[in-house]
Amino acid sequence: MRLQTKLILLICTLLFSVLTLAAGVVEYMVTSMMEDQIGTRALKVAETVAEIPEIRQAFKLAEPSSVIQPLAEQIREKTGALYLVIGNREGIRYSHPVPERIGKEMVGGDNGPVLEGKSIISKAEGSMGPSLRGKVPIRGENGDVIGIVSVGFLLDDINRWDDVYQRRLLLISLAALAVAMAGAVVIARGVRRSIHGLEPEEIGTLYMEKKAILESIREAILAVDRNGLITLANQQTLRILGLPDDTKLIGKPIREIVPKSRLLKVARTGQSEFDVEMIMHGQEVVANRVPVFNRQNEVIGAVVSFRSKSEVYRLAEELSQVKRFAEGLRAQTHEYSNKLYVISGLIQLESYQEAVEMISKETDVHQNFIQFIMREIPDPVIGGLLIGKYNRAHELKIKFEIDPETSFKDVPARVDRDLLVTIIGNLTDNAMEALLEYSAADEKKVTLFLSDYGEDLMIECEDNGPGIPDEWAENIFQKGVSSKEGEHRGIGLALVKHAVDKLGGRILHEPSGEGGTVFSVVIPKRVEPKKGEGT
C-alpha cells in the first residue's frame, strides 16, 4: 500500500473516531440537558399548582375532585404536560387526565420523600408509561403535608426529540467526514510532494545510506539550522574537535561547540565560503561552508566540511615525492643514455683510451658523490633524495654541490624524515626553477649545506639566480605567492614553511654573495613540534 493511501486511511480513521466520540458526547450532553430542562419545567409547574389556594381549600370538601379536576386539566393543557395528578397523603387521586382513574391510588412508588416535605424530580413507570416527573408536597394552613402534586412528561417524547438531534448530528458528521476526506487527499499529496514521492521504506533506506556515507567520508561534516542548532555531525567531526566518540552533538547550539563558528553567518547571508584556513582545537584545518536551501529557495541552514590541513599537505607531499622520484629516474636514464652513446661511438672509432678515461671519470664522479652521501648522510631517504636531485641538476646543466663540511648523521628519531624531505626537496627545486627561468649566469649553481652540530639541525640552500624581488620578500612563504609566472605556483615554499613550523623550527632568507638567494632553516633537536594555537 502506497504512502498516500496510507495517509488518507489514517486521517479518515482518526477523524471517524473523533466524530464518533464527539457524537456520543454530544448525544449524552443533549439528552442530559433536555432531561434537566423538562424535569425543572415539571417541578416548576408542580410548585405553582401546589400554591393555588382553591386547590388547598378543596381538600376540606367532601368531593375534592369536583373542584381540583377541572383546574388541573386546564393547567395541564396550557403547560403541555402529559399528565397533572393531584392526590392526598394516602396517594388517592383527586385529578387525572383519564377521569376513570380518579379515586384510585397513585403508582410509581416515589411518594415517600414528597410526604416528608421534599420536592423531587424522578423517573418512574406511571399509569401512562415511563415518565420524567416533578413532585411537590401540598401544605395545609399549619404547614403540614396534606397532598401531592405530580406533573409528568413521557420519556418517549424526550427520546423522539433526541432522535431529531441525532439525525442532525449524523448529517453534520457525514458532511465533516466528506470535507475531511477531501482534506486528507490534499494533505497526503502535499506530504508526498515534500518527500519527493518516496515511500517510508525508501526513506529509511536513504537515511541508512546517508549515515553510512557520512561515516565513510574522511572529512568532518557538520550542519546547523537557522537557529544555530546542530542537526548533523559525523564521527570525524568529533575527532577533529577533540571530543569523545560518544558525545551527542545533535540539538546543541553550534556556539557551545565552536564559539567562533561562521556557520550562522552563512545561514543568514546564503553566501558560500570555500577553502578557508583556520585553527580548530590546535589543528590547522581547511573548511568549506555552504548554505542549505528549501524548495522555495529559502536558506534553512548551513553545512561545513573541514579536513586537517596536515592531511592535505601530506597528500601534496606524497605527490611531490612521486614526481621527484620520476624526474630523478628520467634524468638518470637520459643522462646515462647519452653517456652510453658517446662510449659506444668511441669504441666504434677504436678510441679505446678515451672510452676508458670517460668511463673512469664518470665512475669516479658518481662514486665519490655516492660515497660522500653514504658517509655523511646515512639516512637512506634523505640520501636517495639528494642523489635524485644531483641527477636532475646534471640533466638541466645545473651544477649541484653539497658543501664538503656537510654532516647529517645526528638526526633525532623525533624529527619526521618526511618533513625533512619536504624542506630539502622543495628548497632545491625552488632554486633550480629560479636558475632555469631567470639566471643569466654562465654557470648555474645550487649549493646545499646540511649540519647536525650542536643543539640544532641546519639546512642552507644557496643559488646564484636573480634573487627575490623586494615586493615578494615579506610574503614569499604564503600559499599562491610566487615571483614566477604561470598557474599552480607558490606551493613549494608554503609546504616548506608548514613543515618547518611542524618541527618547531624557523626559516629565513637573504641575498647570497653571488646575487641569488640563501634559504636557512634551523630545527631544534629536542623541542617538541608546534601543534597550532587558538581555538
Side-chain angles (χ1 to χ4, degrees), residues 309-310 312-321 324 418-419 422-423 426-427 476-479 490-502 507:
K309 195 174 177 182
S310 60
V312 178
Y313 276 123
R314 189 180 303 117
L315 178 60
E317 179 54 29
E318 288 176 358
L319 293 175
S320 179
Q321 287 187 33
R324 285 196 296 268
D418 289 339
L419 296 178
T422 297
I423 296 169
N426 281 287
L427 286 179
I476 193 67
F477 296 112
Q478 293 182 14
K479 183 180 178 181
I491 298 176
L493 290 179
L495 289 172
V496 171
K497 182 66 166 61
H498 176 76
V500 171
D501 289 342
K502 291 282 286 185
I507 181 171

PDB file of all heavy atoms in Angstrom, residues 309-310 312-321 324 418-419 422-423 426-427 476-479 490-502 507:
ATOM      1  N   LYS A 309      44.552  20.158   7.817  1.00  0.00           N
ATOM      2  CA  LYS A 309      45.444  20.698   6.801  1.00  0.00           C
ATOM      3  C   LYS A 309      46.689  19.830   6.640  1.00  0.00           C
ATOM      4  O   LYS A 309      47.264  19.741   5.555  1.00  0.00           O
ATOM      5  CB  LYS A 309      45.844  22.125   7.187  1.00  0.00           C
ATOM      6  CG  LYS A 309      46.472  22.927   6.069  1.00  0.00           C
ATOM      7  CD  LYS A 309      46.681  24.364   6.522  1.00  0.00           C
ATOM      8  CE  LYS A 309      47.369  25.184   5.446  1.00  0.00           C
ATOM      9  NZ  LYS A 309      47.624  26.566   5.903  1.00  0.00           N
ATOM     10  N   SER A 310      47.086  19.170   7.724  1.00  0.00           N
ATOM     11  CA  SER A 310      48.268  18.314   7.641  1.00  0.00           C
ATOM     12  C   SER A 310      48.030  17.162   6.664  1.00  0.00           C
ATOM     13  O   SER A 310      48.952  16.731   5.972  1.00  0.00           O
ATOM     14  CB  SER A 310      48.609  17.763   9.026  1.00  0.00           C
ATOM     15  OG  SER A 310      47.537  16.996   9.537  1.00  0.00           O
ATOM     16  N   VAL A 312      46.130  17.373   4.012  1.00  0.00           N
ATOM     17  CA  VAL A 312      46.234  17.964   2.678  1.00  0.00           C
ATOM     18  C   VAL A 312      47.697  18.118   2.288  1.00  0.00           C
ATOM     19  O   VAL A 312      48.102  17.786   1.164  1.00  0.00           O
ATOM     20  CB  VAL A 312      45.515  19.331   2.640  1.00  0.00           C
ATOM     21  CG1 VAL A 312      45.670  19.971   1.272  1.00  0.00           C
ATOM     22  CG2 VAL A 312      44.038  19.153   2.982  1.00  0.00           C
ATOM     23  N   TYR A 313      48.510  18.612   3.239  1.00  0.00           N
ATOM     24  CA  TYR A 313      49.933  18.774   2.946  1.00  0.00           C
ATOM     25  C   TYR A 313      50.602  17.417   2.741  1.00  0.00           C
ATOM     26  O   TYR A 313      51.497  17.276   1.899  1.00  0.00           O
ATOM     27  CB  TYR A 313      50.614  19.521   4.104  1.00  0.00           C
ATOM     28  CG  TYR A 313      50.483  21.006   4.005  1.00  0.00           C
ATOM     29  CD1 TYR A 313      49.907  21.743   5.034  1.00  0.00           C
ATOM     30  CD2 TYR A 313      50.933  21.687   2.878  1.00  0.00           C
ATOM     31  CE1 TYR A 313      49.784  23.113   4.949  1.00  0.00           C
ATOM     32  CE2 TYR A 313      50.812  23.065   2.789  1.00  0.00           C
ATOM     33  CZ  TYR A 313      50.241  23.769   3.824  1.00  0.00           C
ATOM     34  OH  TYR A 313      50.114  25.125   3.723  1.00  0.00           O
ATOM     35  N   ARG A 314      50.185  16.408   3.517  1.00  0.00           N
ATOM     36  CA  ARG A 314      50.780  15.090   3.367  1.00  0.00           C
ATOM     37  C   ARG A 314      50.484  14.522   1.980  1.00  0.00           C
ATOM     38  O   ARG A 314      51.356  13.940   1.324  1.00  0.00           O
ATOM     39  CB  ARG A 314      50.232  14.142   4.433  1.00  0.00           C
ATOM     40  CG  ARG A 314      50.977  12.806   4.475  1.00  0.00           C
ATOM     41  CD  ARG A 314      50.410  11.885   5.537  1.00  0.00           C
ATOM     42  NE  ARG A 314      50.447  12.504   6.832  1.00  0.00           N
ATOM     43  CZ  ARG A 314      49.360  12.795   7.555  1.00  0.00           C
ATOM     44  NH1 ARG A 314      48.163  12.538   7.067  1.00  0.00           N
ATOM     45  NH2 ARG A 314      49.469  13.342   8.738  1.00  0.00           N
ATOM     46  N   LEU A 315      49.261  14.735   1.528  1.00  0.00           N
ATOM     47  CA  LEU A 315      48.903  14.261   0.191  1.00  0.00           C
ATOM     48  C   LEU A 315      49.711  14.993  -0.874  1.00  0.00           C
ATOM     49  O   LEU A 315      50.229  14.372  -1.816  1.00  0.00           O
ATOM     50  CB  LEU A 315      47.404  14.474  -0.048  1.00  0.00           C
ATOM     51  CG  LEU A 315      46.873  14.063  -1.416  1.00  0.00           C
ATOM     52  CD1 LEU A 315      47.104  12.577  -1.654  1.00  0.00           C
ATOM     53  CD2 LEU A 315      45.393  14.401  -1.525  1.00  0.00           C
ATOM     54  N   ALA A 316      49.825  16.325  -0.698  1.00  0.00           N
ATOM     55  CA  ALA A 316      50.607  17.096  -1.670  1.00  0.00           C
ATOM     56  C   ALA A 316      52.068  16.656  -1.669  1.00  0.00           C
ATOM     57  O   ALA A 316      52.704  16.553  -2.725  1.00  0.00           O
ATOM     58  CB  ALA A 316      50.510  18.589  -1.349  1.00  0.00           C
ATOM     59  N   GLU A 317      52.596  16.356  -0.458  1.00  0.00           N
ATOM     60  CA  GLU A 317      53.995  15.939  -0.383  1.00  0.00           C
ATOM     61  C   GLU A 317      54.205  14.559  -1.010  1.00  0.00           C
ATOM     62  O   GLU A 317      55.210  14.304  -1.661  1.00  0.00           O
ATOM     63  CB  GLU A 317      54.445  15.935   1.084  1.00  0.00           C
ATOM     64  CG  GLU A 317      55.888  15.501   1.284  1.00  0.00           C
ATOM     65  CD  GLU A 317      56.864  16.316   0.448  1.00  0.00           C
ATOM     66  OE1 GLU A 317      56.569  17.494   0.150  1.00  0.00           O
ATOM     67  OE2 GLU A 317      57.913  15.764   0.082  1.00  0.00           O
ATOM     68  N   GLU A 318      53.232  13.660  -0.793  1.00  0.00           N
ATOM     69  CA  GLU A 318      53.345  12.348  -1.411  1.00  0.00           C
ATOM     70  C   GLU A 318      53.371  12.460  -2.933  1.00  0.00           C
ATOM     71  O   GLU A 318      54.162  11.803  -3.613  1.00  0.00           O
ATOM     72  CB  GLU A 318      52.182  11.463  -0.956  1.00  0.00           C
ATOM     73  CG  GLU A 318      52.291  11.024   0.496  1.00  0.00           C
ATOM     74  CD  GLU A 318      51.081  10.232   0.938  1.00  0.00           C
ATOM     75  OE1 GLU A 318      50.153  10.070   0.121  1.00  0.00           O
ATOM     76  OE2 GLU A 318      51.049   9.786   2.101  1.00  0.00           O
ATOM     77  N   LEU A 319      52.509  13.320  -3.456  1.00  0.00           N
ATOM     78  CA  LEU A 319      52.511  13.530  -4.902  1.00  0.00           C
ATOM     79  C   LEU A 319      53.822  14.157  -5.349  1.00  0.00           C
ATOM     80  O   LEU A 319      54.371  13.811  -6.406  1.00  0.00           O
ATOM     81  CB  LEU A 319      51.332  14.425  -5.290  1.00  0.00           C
ATOM     82  CG  LEU A 319      49.940  13.823  -5.091  1.00  0.00           C
ATOM     83  CD1 LEU A 319      48.872  14.868  -5.399  1.00  0.00           C
ATOM     84  CD2 LEU A 319      49.742  12.604  -5.976  1.00  0.00           C
ATOM     85  N   SER A 320      54.343  15.083  -4.521  1.00  0.00           N
ATOM     86  CA  SER A 320      55.601  15.742  -4.867  1.00  0.00           C
ATOM     87  C   SER A 320      56.758  14.739  -4.867  1.00  0.00           C
ATOM     88  O   SER A 320      57.628  14.781  -5.734  1.00  0.00           O
ATOM     89  CB  SER A 320      55.879  16.878  -3.872  1.00  0.00           C
ATOM     90  OG  SER A 320      57.093  17.506  -4.171  1.00  0.00           O
ATOM     91  N   GLN A 321      56.740  13.809  -3.886  1.00  0.00           N
ATOM     92  CA  GLN A 321      57.801  12.804  -3.849  1.00  0.00           C
ATOM     93  C   GLN A 321      57.748  11.898  -5.065  1.00  0.00           C
ATOM     94  O   GLN A 321      58.780  11.578  -5.666  1.00  0.00           O
ATOM     95  CB  GLN A 321      57.667  11.968  -2.574  1.00  0.00           C
ATOM     96  CG  GLN A 321      58.075  12.697  -1.313  1.00  0.00           C
ATOM     97  CD  GLN A 321      58.090  11.763  -0.130  1.00  0.00           C
ATOM     98  OE1 GLN A 321      58.395  10.585  -0.263  1.00  0.00           O
ATOM     99  NE2 GLN A 321      57.745  12.298   1.035  1.00  0.00           N
ATOM    100  N   ARG A 324      59.215  13.749  -7.830  1.00  0.00           N
ATOM    101  CA  ARG A 324      60.668  13.872  -7.747  1.00  0.00           C
ATOM    102  C   ARG A 324      61.363  12.570  -8.129  1.00  0.00           C
ATOM    103  O   ARG A 324      62.361  12.565  -8.842  1.00  0.00           O
ATOM    104  CB  ARG A 324      61.066  14.294  -6.324  1.00  0.00           C
ATOM    105  CG  ARG A 324      60.783  15.748  -6.024  1.00  0.00           C
ATOM    106  CD  ARG A 324      61.542  16.179  -4.777  1.00  0.00           C
ATOM    107  NE  ARG A 324      61.089  15.467  -3.600  1.00  0.00           N
ATOM    108  CZ  ARG A 324      60.143  15.883  -2.778  1.00  0.00           C
ATOM    109  NH1 ARG A 324      59.542  17.032  -3.028  1.00  0.00           N
ATOM    110  NH2 ARG A 324      59.787  15.192  -1.708  1.00  0.00           N
ATOM    111  N   ASP A 418      59.950  12.598   6.637  1.00  0.00           N
ATOM    112  CA  ASP A 418      59.130  13.094   5.530  1.00  0.00           C
ATOM    113  C   ASP A 418      59.123  14.618   5.492  1.00  0.00           C
ATOM    114  O   ASP A 418      59.163  15.225   4.421  1.00  0.00           O
ATOM    115  CB  ASP A 418      57.695  12.583   5.661  1.00  0.00           C
ATOM    116  CG  ASP A 418      57.598  11.093   5.367  1.00  0.00           C
ATOM    117  OD1 ASP A 418      58.506  10.569   4.704  1.00  0.00           O
ATOM    118  OD2 ASP A 418      56.608  10.473   5.799  1.00  0.00           O
ATOM    119  N   LEU A 419      59.109  15.238   6.687  1.00  0.00           N
ATOM    120  CA  LEU A 419      59.143  16.702   6.737  1.00  0.00           C
ATOM    121  C   LEU A 419      60.497  17.243   6.283  1.00  0.00           C
ATOM    122  O   LEU A 419      60.573  18.284   5.613  1.00  0.00           O
ATOM    123  CB  LEU A 419      58.807  17.186   8.149  1.00  0.00           C
ATOM    124  CG  LEU A 419      57.391  16.864   8.648  1.00  0.00           C
ATOM    125  CD1 LEU A 419      57.203  17.353  10.075  1.00  0.00           C
ATOM    126  CD2 LEU A 419      56.336  17.497   7.735  1.00  0.00           C
ATOM    127  N   THR A 422      60.530  17.125   2.622  1.00  0.00           N
ATOM    128  CA  THR A 422      59.750  18.252   2.090  1.00  0.00           C
ATOM    129  C   THR A 422      60.595  19.523   2.061  1.00  0.00           C
ATOM    130  O   THR A 422      60.599  20.269   1.070  1.00  0.00           O
ATOM    131  CB  THR A 422      58.494  18.472   2.957  1.00  0.00           C
ATOM    132  OG1 THR A 422      57.667  17.318   2.875  1.00  0.00           O
ATOM    133  CG2 THR A 422      57.717  19.698   2.483  1.00  0.00           C
ATOM    134  N   ILE A 423      61.310  19.789   3.150  1.00  0.00           N
ATOM    135  CA  ILE A 423      62.117  21.018   3.236  1.00  0.00           C
ATOM    136  C   ILE A 423      63.253  21.004   2.221  1.00  0.00           C
ATOM    137  O   ILE A 423      63.415  21.940   1.413  1.00  0.00           O
ATOM    138  CB  ILE A 423      62.665  21.180   4.672  1.00  0.00           C
ATOM    139  CG1 ILE A 423      61.501  21.372   5.660  1.00  0.00           C
ATOM    140  CG2 ILE A 423      63.629  22.373   4.740  1.00  0.00           C
ATOM    141  CD1 ILE A 423      61.934  21.277   7.116  1.00  0.00           C
ATOM    142  N   ASN A 426      61.967  20.760  -1.658  1.00  0.00           N
ATOM    143  CA  ASN A 426      61.332  21.954  -2.216  1.00  0.00           C
ATOM    144  C   ASN A 426      62.294  23.137  -2.292  1.00  0.00           C
ATOM    145  O   ASN A 426      62.189  23.961  -3.201  1.00  0.00           O
ATOM    146  CB  ASN A 426      60.099  22.331  -1.385  1.00  0.00           C
ATOM    147  CG  ASN A 426      58.898  21.474  -1.725  1.00  0.00           C
ATOM    148  OD1 ASN A 426      58.276  21.616  -2.771  1.00  0.00           O
ATOM    149  ND2 ASN A 426      58.566  20.551  -0.826  1.00  0.00           N
ATOM    150  N   LEU A 427      63.244  23.224  -1.362  1.00  0.00           N
ATOM    151  CA  LEU A 427      64.236  24.307  -1.448  1.00  0.00           C
ATOM    152  C   LEU A 427      65.121  24.131  -2.678  1.00  0.00           C
ATOM    153  O   LEU A 427      65.405  25.106  -3.399  1.00  0.00           O
ATOM    154  CB  LEU A 427      65.089  24.347  -0.177  1.00  0.00           C
ATOM    155  CG  LEU A 427      64.409  24.908   1.078  1.00  0.00           C
ATOM    156  CD1 LEU A 427      65.362  24.857   2.265  1.00  0.00           C
ATOM    157  CD2 LEU A 427      63.929  26.344   0.855  1.00  0.00           C
ATOM    158  N   ILE A 476      56.732  35.669   0.868  1.00  0.00           N
ATOM    159  CA  ILE A 476      57.139  34.640  -0.081  1.00  0.00           C
ATOM    160  C   ILE A 476      56.704  33.241   0.357  1.00  0.00           C
ATOM    161  O   ILE A 476      56.569  32.329  -0.459  1.00  0.00           O
ATOM    162  CB  ILE A 476      58.678  34.677  -0.272  1.00  0.00           C
ATOM    163  CG1 ILE A 476      59.086  33.834  -1.494  1.00  0.00           C
ATOM    164  CG2 ILE A 476      59.380  34.181   0.982  1.00  0.00           C
ATOM    165  CD1 ILE A 476      58.609  34.387  -2.797  1.00  0.00           C
ATOM    166  N   PHE A 477      56.436  33.058   1.693  1.00  0.00           N
ATOM    167  CA  PHE A 477      56.055  31.733   2.189  1.00  0.00           C
ATOM    168  C   PHE A 477      54.542  31.503   2.186  1.00  0.00           C
ATOM    169  O   PHE A 477      54.099  30.433   2.593  1.00  0.00           O
ATOM    170  CB  PHE A 477      56.587  31.533   3.615  1.00  0.00           C
ATOM    171  CG  PHE A 477      58.090  31.547   3.691  1.00  0.00           C
ATOM    172  CD1 PHE A 477      58.756  32.586   4.322  1.00  0.00           C
ATOM    173  CD2 PHE A 477      58.838  30.527   3.122  1.00  0.00           C
ATOM    174  CE1 PHE A 477      60.133  32.607   4.398  1.00  0.00           C
ATOM    175  CE2 PHE A 477      60.229  30.538   3.193  1.00  0.00           C
ATOM    176  CZ  PHE A 477      60.876  31.580   3.832  1.00  0.00           C
ATOM    177  N   GLN A 478      53.789  32.484   1.736  1.00  0.00           N
ATOM    178  CA  GLN A 478      52.347  32.300   1.684  1.00  0.00           C
ATOM    179  C   GLN A 478      51.953  31.478   0.463  1.00  0.00           C
ATOM    180  O   GLN A 478      52.558  31.603  -0.605  1.00  0.00           O
ATOM    181  CB  GLN A 478      51.632  33.652   1.648  1.00  0.00           C
ATOM    182  CG  GLN A 478      51.787  34.456   2.931  1.00  0.00           C
ATOM    183  CD  GLN A 478      51.015  35.769   2.862  1.00  0.00           C
ATOM    184  OE1 GLN A 478      50.183  35.960   1.990  1.00  0.00           O
ATOM    185  NE2 GLN A 478      51.310  36.656   3.793  1.00  0.00           N
ATOM    186  N   LYS A 479      50.929  30.669   0.627  1.00  0.00           N
ATOM    187  CA  LYS A 479      50.455  29.826  -0.471  1.00  0.00           C
ATOM    188  C   LYS A 479      49.951  30.687  -1.619  1.00  0.00           C
ATOM    189  O   LYS A 479      49.176  31.626  -1.417  1.00  0.00           O
ATOM    190  CB  LYS A 479      49.338  28.905   0.022  1.00  0.00           C
ATOM    191  CG  LYS A 479      48.835  27.942  -1.035  1.00  0.00           C
ATOM    192  CD  LYS A 479      47.737  27.060  -0.461  1.00  0.00           C
ATOM    193  CE  LYS A 479      47.189  26.120  -1.525  1.00  0.00           C
ATOM    194  NZ  LYS A 479      46.103  25.265  -1.000  1.00  0.00           N
ATOM    195  N   GLY A 490      53.668  29.028  -6.188  1.00  0.00           N
ATOM    196  CA  GLY A 490      53.585  29.448  -4.802  1.00  0.00           C
ATOM    197  C   GLY A 490      53.166  28.342  -3.856  1.00  0.00           C
ATOM    198  O   GLY A 490      52.544  28.606  -2.827  1.00  0.00           O
ATOM    199  N   ILE A 491      53.513  27.089  -4.185  1.00  0.00           N
ATOM    200  CA  ILE A 491      53.142  25.966  -3.328  1.00  0.00           C
ATOM    201  C   ILE A 491      54.353  25.420  -2.577  1.00  0.00           C
ATOM    202  O   ILE A 491      54.282  25.102  -1.401  1.00  0.00           O
ATOM    203  CB  ILE A 491      52.493  24.840  -4.156  1.00  0.00           C
ATOM    204  CG1 ILE A 491      51.192  25.359  -4.800  1.00  0.00           C
ATOM    205  CG2 ILE A 491      52.205  23.619  -3.289  1.00  0.00           C
ATOM    206  CD1 ILE A 491      50.532  24.363  -5.714  1.00  0.00           C
ATOM    207  N   GLY A 492      55.504  25.322  -3.269  1.00  0.00           N
ATOM    208  CA  GLY A 492      56.691  24.703  -2.688  1.00  0.00           C
ATOM    209  C   GLY A 492      57.144  25.357  -1.399  1.00  0.00           C
ATOM    210  O   GLY A 492      57.340  24.673  -0.383  1.00  0.00           O
ATOM    211  N   LEU A 493      57.330  26.693  -1.405  1.00  0.00           N
ATOM    212  CA  LEU A 493      57.803  27.376  -0.200  1.00  0.00           C
ATOM    213  C   LEU A 493      56.747  27.360   0.902  1.00  0.00           C
ATOM    214  O   LEU A 493      57.099  27.363   2.090  1.00  0.00           O
ATOM    215  CB  LEU A 493      58.201  28.811  -0.535  1.00  0.00           C
ATOM    216  CG  LEU A 493      59.477  28.960  -1.386  1.00  0.00           C
ATOM    217  CD1 LEU A 493      59.765  30.421  -1.669  1.00  0.00           C
ATOM    218  CD2 LEU A 493      60.667  28.315  -0.675  1.00  0.00           C
ATOM    219  N   ALA A 494      55.446  27.338   0.532  1.00  0.00           N
ATOM    220  CA  ALA A 494      54.388  27.211   1.546  1.00  0.00           C
ATOM    221  C   ALA A 494      54.479  25.859   2.237  1.00  0.00           C
ATOM    222  O   ALA A 494      54.315  25.746   3.457  1.00  0.00           O
ATOM    223  CB  ALA A 494      53.014  27.394   0.899  1.00  0.00           C
ATOM    224  N   LEU A 495      54.787  24.809   1.460  1.00  0.00           N
ATOM    225  CA  LEU A 495      54.976  23.480   2.051  1.00  0.00           C
ATOM    226  C   LEU A 495      56.204  23.467   2.968  1.00  0.00           C
ATOM    227  O   LEU A 495      56.189  22.850   4.037  1.00  0.00           O
ATOM    228  CB  LEU A 495      55.132  22.433   0.954  1.00  0.00           C
ATOM    229  CG  LEU A 495      53.876  22.094   0.143  1.00  0.00           C
ATOM    230  CD1 LEU A 495      54.240  21.181  -1.022  1.00  0.00           C
ATOM    231  CD2 LEU A 495      52.835  21.424   1.022  1.00  0.00           C
ATOM    232  N   VAL A 496      57.268  24.139   2.547  1.00  0.00           N
ATOM    233  CA  VAL A 496      58.469  24.220   3.371  1.00  0.00           C
ATOM    234  C   VAL A 496      58.159  24.899   4.701  1.00  0.00           C
ATOM    235  O   VAL A 496      58.530  24.415   5.782  1.00  0.00           O
ATOM    236  CB  VAL A 496      59.591  24.970   2.627  1.00  0.00           C
ATOM    237  CG1 VAL A 496      60.770  25.236   3.573  1.00  0.00           C
ATOM    238  CG2 VAL A 496      60.070  24.173   1.423  1.00  0.00           C
ATOM    239  N   LYS A 497      57.454  26.034   4.641  1.00  0.00           N
ATOM    240  CA  LYS A 497      57.127  26.775   5.864  1.00  0.00           C
ATOM    241  C   LYS A 497      56.259  25.930   6.794  1.00  0.00           C
ATOM    242  O   LYS A 497      56.465  25.919   8.021  1.00  0.00           O
ATOM    243  CB  LYS A 497      56.375  28.061   5.484  1.00  0.00           C
ATOM    244  CG  LYS A 497      56.009  28.951   6.679  1.00  0.00           C
ATOM    245  CD  LYS A 497      57.264  29.504   7.334  1.00  0.00           C
ATOM    246  CE  LYS A 497      56.948  30.642   8.302  1.00  0.00           C
ATOM    247  NZ  LYS A 497      56.081  30.233   9.418  1.00  0.00           N
ATOM    248  N   HIS A 498      55.307  25.227   6.229  1.00  0.00           N
ATOM    249  CA  HIS A 498      54.445  24.379   7.048  1.00  0.00           C
ATOM    250  C   HIS A 498      55.262  23.278   7.726  1.00  0.00           C
ATOM    251  O   HIS A 498      55.074  23.002   8.923  1.00  0.00           O
ATOM    252  CB  HIS A 498      53.357  23.755   6.175  1.00  0.00           C
ATOM    253  CG  HIS A 498      52.477  22.806   6.901  1.00  0.00           C
ATOM    254  ND1 HIS A 498      51.478  23.204   7.758  1.00  0.00           N
ATOM    255  CD2 HIS A 498      52.458  21.449   6.898  1.00  0.00           C
ATOM    256  CE1 HIS A 498      50.872  22.142   8.260  1.00  0.00           C
ATOM    257  NE2 HIS A 498      51.444  21.064   7.759  1.00  0.00           N
ATOM    258  N   ALA A 499      56.154  22.628   6.990  1.00  0.00           N
ATOM    259  CA  ALA A 499      56.980  21.563   7.558  1.00  0.00           C
ATOM    260  C   ALA A 499      57.895  22.100   8.651  1.00  0.00           C
ATOM    261  O   ALA A 499      58.071  21.461   9.697  1.00  0.00           O
ATOM    262  CB  ALA A 499      57.787  20.896   6.455  1.00  0.00           C
ATOM    263  N   VAL A 500      58.495  23.284   8.422  1.00  0.00           N
ATOM    264  CA  VAL A 500      59.375  23.894   9.437  1.00  0.00           C
ATOM    265  C   VAL A 500      58.578  24.192  10.705  1.00  0.00           C
ATOM    266  O   VAL A 500      59.031  23.936  11.831  1.00  0.00           O
ATOM    267  CB  VAL A 500      60.029  25.174   8.872  1.00  0.00           C
ATOM    268  CG1 VAL A 500      60.762  25.923   9.987  1.00  0.00           C
ATOM    269  CG2 VAL A 500      60.995  24.832   7.754  1.00  0.00           C
ATOM    270  N   ASP A 501      57.377  24.729  10.547  1.00  0.00           N
ATOM    271  CA  ASP A 501      56.540  25.026  11.720  1.00  0.00           C
ATOM    272  C   ASP A 501      56.185  23.749  12.474  1.00  0.00           C
ATOM    273  O   ASP A 501      56.161  23.735  13.709  1.00  0.00           O
ATOM    274  CB  ASP A 501      55.262  25.746  11.288  1.00  0.00           C
ATOM    275  CG  ASP A 501      55.538  27.173  10.829  1.00  0.00           C
ATOM    276  OD1 ASP A 501      56.621  27.692  11.173  1.00  0.00           O
ATOM    277  OD2 ASP A 501      54.676  27.749  10.147  1.00  0.00           O
ATOM    278  N   LYS A 502      55.888  22.686  11.737  1.00  0.00           N
ATOM    279  CA  LYS A 502      55.547  21.427  12.389  1.00  0.00           C
ATOM    280  C   LYS A 502      56.715  20.901  13.221  1.00  0.00           C
ATOM    281  O   LYS A 502      56.518  20.265  14.254  1.00  0.00           O
ATOM    282  CB  LYS A 502      55.170  20.379  11.337  1.00  0.00           C
ATOM    283  CG  LYS A 502      53.865  20.660  10.625  1.00  0.00           C
ATOM    284  CD  LYS A 502      52.663  20.293  11.475  1.00  0.00           C
ATOM    285  CE  LYS A 502      52.486  18.795  11.537  1.00  0.00           C
ATOM    286  NZ  LYS A 502      51.259  18.406  12.268  1.00  0.00           N
ATOM    287  N   ILE A 507      62.633  29.629   9.560  1.00  0.00           N
ATOM    288  CA  ILE A 507      63.240  29.734   8.242  1.00  0.00           C
ATOM    289  C   ILE A 507      63.450  31.198   7.909  1.00  0.00           C
ATOM    290  O   ILE A 507      62.595  32.051   8.212  1.00  0.00           O
ATOM    291  CB  ILE A 507      62.360  29.031   7.170  1.00  0.00           C
ATOM    292  CG1 ILE A 507      63.034  29.125   5.796  1.00  0.00           C
ATOM    293  CG2 ILE A 507      60.957  29.612   7.138  1.00  0.00           C
ATOM    294  CD1 ILE A 507      62.334  28.260   4.739  1.00  0.00           C
TER     295      ILE A 507
END
